Each structure stands twice: as C-alpha cells, then as structure tokens.
Amino acid sequence: MAWDEWEHIKAGAAAGPSTSTRLNQLAPSAGGGGVGKPDLAASPAAKKAPTA
C-alpha cells in the first residue's frame, strides 16, 4: 500500500509545474541606493597616487 502511495505522489509531482524562485518582497521603487550618483569616479592624479 505504501509503495502505491509513493508512486502516486511521484506522478503528481512530475505532472505539476516546475519549481521557481519566489521573492518575499518587491524591489525598491527607486532601484536601490546610489540614485543619481556615478558608479565610478577617479581623477588621473588619484590613479597615479601610491597606495598605502
């Protein structure tokens, strides 16, 4: 009896939709931090400066 139940469960899982990722919250409407700021900024002098 248990084997028949297991086969029934496997068949139901195979016929169902595939797994997918579900987010628990929405992304911020502004797209996160750093809005209006450039990604990278460096001057030629800063590039040539020795590192500590």
Side-chain angles (χ1 to χ4, degrees), residues 6-30:
W6 175 244
E7 292 297 326
H8 180 71
I9 291 169
K10 287 193 329 185
S18 63
T19 59
S20 62
T21 302
R22 185 182 118 187
L23 300 176
N24 290 331
Q25 64 185 6
L26 294 174
S29 60

PDB file of all heavy atoms in Angstrom, residues 6-30:
ATOM      1  N   TRP A   6       3.432   6.156  -2.765  1.00  0.00           N
ATOM      2  CA  TRP A   6       4.664   6.815  -3.196  1.00  0.00           C
ATOM      3  C   TRP A   6       4.656   7.032  -4.718  1.00  0.00           C
ATOM      4  O   TRP A   6       5.029   8.100  -5.200  1.00  0.00           O
ATOM      5  CB  TRP A   6       5.858   5.979  -2.773  1.00  0.00           C
ATOM      6  CG  TRP A   6       7.170   6.502  -3.268  1.00  0.00           C
ATOM      7  CD1 TRP A   6       8.017   5.887  -4.121  1.00  0.00           C
ATOM      8  CD2 TRP A   6       7.773   7.754  -2.939  1.00  0.00           C
ATOM      9  NE1 TRP A   6       9.120   6.661  -4.346  1.00  0.00           N
ATOM     10  CE2 TRP A   6       8.987   7.837  -3.631  1.00  0.00           C
ATOM     11  CE3 TRP A   6       7.400   8.821  -2.139  1.00  0.00           C
ATOM     12  CZ2 TRP A   6       9.832   8.934  -3.544  1.00  0.00           C
ATOM     13  CZ3 TRP A   6       8.246   9.915  -2.045  1.00  0.00           C
ATOM     14  CH2 TRP A   6       9.448   9.959  -2.741  1.00  0.00           C
ATOM     15  N   GLU A   7       4.235   6.044  -5.475  1.00  0.00           N
ATOM     16  CA  GLU A   7       4.148   6.185  -6.927  1.00  0.00           C
ATOM     17  C   GLU A   7       3.150   7.277  -7.307  1.00  0.00           C
ATOM     18  O   GLU A   7       3.378   8.044  -8.239  1.00  0.00           O
ATOM     19  CB  GLU A   7       3.767   4.854  -7.578  1.00  0.00           C
ATOM     20  CG  GLU A   7       4.844   3.798  -7.477  1.00  0.00           C
ATOM     21  CD  GLU A   7       6.121   4.197  -8.221  1.00  0.00           C
ATOM     22  OE1 GLU A   7       6.044   4.871  -9.265  1.00  0.00           O
ATOM     23  OE2 GLU A   7       7.207   3.833  -7.731  1.00  0.00           O
ATOM     24  N   HIS A   8       2.056   7.371  -6.592  1.00  0.00           N
ATOM     25  CA  HIS A   8       1.050   8.408  -6.847  1.00  0.00           C
ATOM     26  C   HIS A   8       1.623   9.801  -6.566  1.00  0.00           C
ATOM     27  O   HIS A   8       1.421  10.734  -7.345  1.00  0.00           O
ATOM     28  CB  HIS A   8      -0.192   8.148  -5.979  1.00  0.00           C
ATOM     29  CG  HIS A   8      -1.269   9.154  -6.165  1.00  0.00           C
ATOM     30  ND1 HIS A   8      -2.031   9.223  -7.308  1.00  0.00           N
ATOM     31  CD2 HIS A   8      -1.712  10.141  -5.346  1.00  0.00           C
ATOM     32  CE1 HIS A   8      -2.888  10.214  -7.195  1.00  0.00           C
ATOM     33  NE2 HIS A   8      -2.724  10.786  -5.998  1.00  0.00           N
ATOM     34  N   ILE A   9       2.375   9.939  -5.489  1.00  0.00           N
ATOM     35  CA  ILE A   9       2.998  11.228  -5.149  1.00  0.00           C
ATOM     36  C   ILE A   9       4.023  11.615  -6.203  1.00  0.00           C
ATOM     37  O   ILE A   9       4.072  12.771  -6.645  1.00  0.00           O
ATOM     38  CB  ILE A   9       3.635  11.152  -3.750  1.00  0.00           C
ATOM     39  CG1 ILE A   9       2.548  11.054  -2.687  1.00  0.00           C
ATOM     40  CG2 ILE A   9       4.521  12.356  -3.481  1.00  0.00           C
ATOM     41  CD1 ILE A   9       3.054  10.719  -1.306  1.00  0.00           C
ATOM     42  N   LYS A  10       4.856  10.672  -6.634  1.00  0.00           N
ATOM     43  CA  LYS A  10       5.859  10.961  -7.662  1.00  0.00           C
ATOM     44  C   LYS A  10       5.205  11.380  -8.973  1.00  0.00           C
ATOM     45  O   LYS A  10       5.664  12.311  -9.635  1.00  0.00           O
ATOM     46  CB  LYS A  10       6.745   9.738  -7.900  1.00  0.00           C
ATOM     47  CG  LYS A  10       7.723   9.480  -6.788  1.00  0.00           C
ATOM     48  CD  LYS A  10       8.809   8.474  -7.107  1.00  0.00           C
ATOM     49  CE  LYS A  10       8.475   7.386  -8.059  1.00  0.00           C
ATOM     50  NZ  LYS A  10       9.520   6.376  -8.248  1.00  0.00           N
ATOM     51  N   ALA A  11       4.128  10.703  -9.357  1.00  0.00           N
ATOM     52  CA  ALA A  11       3.445  11.044 -10.605  1.00  0.00           C
ATOM     53  C   ALA A  11       2.833  12.442 -10.512  1.00  0.00           C
ATOM     54  O   ALA A  11       2.878  13.220 -11.474  1.00  0.00           O
ATOM     55  CB  ALA A  11       2.369  10.014 -10.908  1.00  0.00           C
ATOM     56  N   GLY A  12       2.277  12.780  -9.367  1.00  0.00           N
ATOM     57  CA  GLY A  12       1.695  14.110  -9.192  1.00  0.00           C
ATOM     58  C   GLY A  12       2.745  15.202  -9.246  1.00  0.00           C
ATOM     59  O   GLY A  12       2.535  16.269  -9.812  1.00  0.00           O
ATOM     60  N   ALA A  13       3.918  14.943  -8.670  1.00  0.00           N
ATOM     61  CA  ALA A  13       4.998  15.927  -8.694  1.00  0.00           C
ATOM     62  C   ALA A  13       5.534  16.109 -10.103  1.00  0.00           C
ATOM     63  O   ALA A  13       5.869  17.213 -10.524  1.00  0.00           O
ATOM     64  CB  ALA A  13       6.107  15.496  -7.743  1.00  0.00           C
ATOM     65  N   ALA A  14       5.644  15.031 -10.855  1.00  0.00           N
ATOM     66  CA  ALA A  14       6.158  15.117 -12.214  1.00  0.00           C
ATOM     67  C   ALA A  14       5.189  15.858 -13.134  1.00  0.00           C
ATOM     68  O   ALA A  14       5.601  16.535 -14.069  1.00  0.00           O
ATOM     69  CB  ALA A  14       6.438  13.724 -12.756  1.00  0.00           C
ATOM     70  N   ALA A  15       3.888  15.748 -12.872  1.00  0.00           N
ATOM     71  CA  ALA A  15       2.891  16.399 -13.730  1.00  0.00           C
ATOM     72  C   ALA A  15       2.708  17.865 -13.389  1.00  0.00           C
ATOM     73  O   ALA A  15       2.206  18.634 -14.200  1.00  0.00           O
ATOM     74  CB  ALA A  15       1.550  15.671 -13.589  1.00  0.00           C
ATOM     75  N   GLY A  16       3.141  18.275 -12.199  1.00  0.00           N
ATOM     76  CA  GLY A  16       2.948  19.662 -11.756  1.00  0.00           C
ATOM     77  C   GLY A  16       3.932  20.614 -12.400  1.00  0.00           C
ATOM     78  O   GLY A  16       4.826  20.215 -13.143  1.00  0.00           O
ATOM     79  N   PRO A  17       3.779  21.895 -12.106  1.00  0.00           N
ATOM     80  CA  PRO A  17       4.697  22.899 -12.657  1.00  0.00           C
ATOM     81  C   PRO A  17       6.092  22.743 -12.053  1.00  0.00           C
ATOM     82  O   PRO A  17       6.254  22.210 -10.955  1.00  0.00           O
ATOM     83  CB  PRO A  17       4.066  24.225 -12.241  1.00  0.00           C
ATOM     84  CG  PRO A  17       3.244  23.900 -11.035  1.00  0.00           C
ATOM     85  CD  PRO A  17       2.768  22.484 -11.240  1.00  0.00           C
ATOM     86  N   SER A  18       7.094  23.204 -12.787  1.00  0.00           N
ATOM     87  CA  SER A  18       8.461  23.113 -12.291  1.00  0.00           C
ATOM     88  C   SER A  18       8.663  24.131 -11.161  1.00  0.00           C
ATOM     89  O   SER A  18       7.921  25.092 -11.034  1.00  0.00           O
ATOM     90  CB  SER A  18       9.454  23.382 -13.422  1.00  0.00           C
ATOM     91  OG  SER A  18       9.292  24.701 -13.887  1.00  0.00           O
ATOM     92  N   THR A  19       9.687  23.893 -10.385  1.00  0.00           N
ATOM     93  CA  THR A  19       9.962  24.803  -9.274  1.00  0.00           C
ATOM     94  C   THR A  19      10.464  26.134  -9.806  1.00  0.00           C
ATOM     95  O   THR A  19      11.054  26.223 -10.878  1.00  0.00           O
ATOM     96  CB  THR A  19      11.010  24.208  -8.328  1.00  0.00           C
ATOM     97  OG1 THR A  19      12.201  23.970  -9.074  1.00  0.00           O
ATOM     98  CG2 THR A  19      10.522  22.919  -7.704  1.00  0.00           C
ATOM     99  N   SER A  20      10.238  27.180  -9.038  1.00  0.00           N
ATOM    100  CA  SER A  20      10.698  28.508  -9.420  1.00  0.00           C
ATOM    101  C   SER A  20      11.038  29.303  -8.170  1.00  0.00           C
ATOM    102  O   SER A  20      10.683  28.923  -7.061  1.00  0.00           O
ATOM    103  CB  SER A  20       9.621  29.229 -10.239  1.00  0.00           C
ATOM    104  OG  SER A  20       8.455  29.387  -9.460  1.00  0.00           O
ATOM    105  N   THR A  21      11.715  30.417  -8.364  1.00  0.00           N
ATOM    106  CA  THR A  21      12.107  31.273  -7.260  1.00  0.00           C
ATOM    107  C   THR A  21      10.982  32.254  -6.957  1.00  0.00           C
ATOM    108  O   THR A  21      10.377  32.822  -7.859  1.00  0.00           O
ATOM    109  CB  THR A  21      13.378  32.055  -7.627  1.00  0.00           C
ATOM    110  OG1 THR A  21      14.401  31.118  -7.937  1.00  0.00           O
ATOM    111  CG2 THR A  21      13.829  32.946  -6.490  1.00  0.00           C
ATOM    112  N   ARG A  22      10.726  32.463  -5.684  1.00  0.00           N
ATOM    113  CA  ARG A  22       9.701  33.405  -5.273  1.00  0.00           C
ATOM    114  C   ARG A  22      10.331  34.425  -4.337  1.00  0.00           C
ATOM    115  O   ARG A  22      10.957  34.064  -3.343  1.00  0.00           O
ATOM    116  CB  ARG A  22       8.578  32.685  -4.542  1.00  0.00           C
ATOM    117  CG  ARG A  22       7.422  33.587  -4.196  1.00  0.00           C
ATOM    118  CD  ARG A  22       6.374  32.844  -3.441  1.00  0.00           C
ATOM    119  NE  ARG A  22       6.264  33.477  -2.139  1.00  0.00           N
ATOM    120  CZ  ARG A  22       5.548  33.029  -1.142  1.00  0.00           C
ATOM    121  NH1 ARG A  22       4.897  31.908  -1.261  1.00  0.00           N
ATOM    122  NH2 ARG A  22       5.499  33.679  -0.015  1.00  0.00           N
ATOM    123  N   LEU A  23      10.169  35.717  -4.637  1.00  0.00           N
ATOM    124  CA  LEU A  23      10.695  36.771  -3.795  1.00  0.00           C
ATOM    125  C   LEU A  23       9.704  37.085  -2.693  1.00  0.00           C
ATOM    126  O   LEU A  23       8.499  37.073  -2.908  1.00  0.00           O
ATOM    127  CB  LEU A  23      10.970  38.023  -4.617  1.00  0.00           C
ATOM    128  CG  LEU A  23      11.978  37.857  -5.755  1.00  0.00           C
ATOM    129  CD1 LEU A  23      12.098  39.144  -6.546  1.00  0.00           C
ATOM    130  CD2 LEU A  23      13.323  37.453  -5.213  1.00  0.00           C
ATOM    131  N   ASN A  24      10.202  37.367  -1.508  1.00  0.00           N
ATOM    132  CA  ASN A  24       9.342  37.686  -0.383  1.00  0.00           C
ATOM    133  C   ASN A  24       8.984  39.165  -0.306  1.00  0.00           C
ATOM    134  O   ASN A  24       8.144  39.559   0.479  1.00  0.00           O
ATOM    135  CB  ASN A  24       9.993  37.251   0.932  1.00  0.00           C
ATOM    136  CG  ASN A  24      10.038  35.748   1.056  1.00  0.00           C
ATOM    137  OD1 ASN A  24       9.189  35.062   0.517  1.00  0.00           O
ATOM    138  ND2 ASN A  24      11.032  35.240   1.739  1.00  0.00           N
ATOM    139  N   GLN A  25       9.653  39.995  -1.087  1.00  0.00           N
ATOM    140  CA  GLN A  25       9.342  41.416  -1.093  1.00  0.00           C
ATOM    141  C   GLN A  25       9.673  42.001  -2.461  1.00  0.00           C
ATOM    142  O   GLN A  25      10.437  41.437  -3.216  1.00  0.00           O
ATOM    143  CB  GLN A  25      10.112  42.149  -0.004  1.00  0.00           C
ATOM    144  CG  GLN A  25      11.618  42.112  -0.191  1.00  0.00           C
ATOM    145  CD  GLN A  25      12.339  42.753   0.976  1.00  0.00           C
ATOM    146  OE1 GLN A  25      11.722  43.111   1.961  1.00  0.00           O
ATOM    147  NE2 GLN A  25      13.634  42.893   0.872  1.00  0.00           N
ATOM    148  N   LEU A  26       9.101  43.159  -2.742  1.00  0.00           N
ATOM    149  CA  LEU A  26       9.363  43.838  -4.001  1.00  0.00           C
ATOM    150  C   LEU A  26      10.636  44.657  -3.900  1.00  0.00           C
ATOM    151  O   LEU A  26      11.027  45.093  -2.810  1.00  0.00           O
ATOM    152  CB  LEU A  26       8.202  44.762  -4.352  1.00  0.00           C
ATOM    153  CG  LEU A  26       6.873  44.072  -4.649  1.00  0.00           C
ATOM    154  CD1 LEU A  26       5.782  45.113  -4.834  1.00  0.00           C
ATOM    155  CD2 LEU A  26       6.990  43.210  -5.875  1.00  0.00           C
ATOM    156  N   ALA A  27      11.264  44.906  -5.018  1.00  0.00           N
ATOM    157  CA  ALA A  27      12.438  45.768  -5.055  1.00  0.00           C
ATOM    158  C   ALA A  27      12.012  47.208  -4.780  1.00  0.00           C
ATOM    159  O   ALA A  27      10.870  47.587  -5.055  1.00  0.00           O
ATOM    160  CB  ALA A  27      13.101  45.663  -6.426  1.00  0.00           C
ATOM    161  N   PRO A  28      12.899  48.025  -4.233  1.00  0.00           N
ATOM    162  CA  PRO A  28      12.554  49.435  -4.000  1.00  0.00           C
ATOM    163  C   PRO A  28      12.168  50.110  -5.307  1.00  0.00           C
ATOM    164  O   PRO A  28      12.727  49.814  -6.360  1.00  0.00           O
ATOM    165  CB  PRO A  28      13.838  50.037  -3.446  1.00  0.00           C
ATOM    166  CG  PRO A  28      14.676  48.888  -3.000  1.00  0.00           C
ATOM    167  CD  PRO A  28      14.244  47.701  -3.796  1.00  0.00           C
ATOM    168  N   SER A  29      11.222  51.024  -5.241  1.00  0.00           N
ATOM    169  CA  SER A  29      10.734  51.671  -6.459  1.00  0.00           C
ATOM    170  C   SER A  29      11.803  52.520  -7.129  1.00  0.00           C
ATOM    171  O   SER A  29      11.796  52.694  -8.336  1.00  0.00           O
ATOM    172  CB  SER A  29       9.511  52.529  -6.149  1.00  0.00           C
ATOM    173  OG  SER A  29       9.846  53.533  -5.203  1.00  0.00           O
ATOM    174  N   ALA A  30      12.746  53.068  -6.357  1.00  0.00           N
ATOM    175  CA  ALA A  30      13.801  53.895  -6.937  1.00  0.00           C
ATOM    176  C   ALA A  30      14.971  53.056  -7.438  1.00  0.00           C
ATOM    177  O   ALA A  30      15.913  53.588  -7.980  1.00  0.00           O
ATOM    178  CB  ALA A  30      14.285  54.906  -5.908  1.00  0.00           C
TER     179      ALA A  30
END
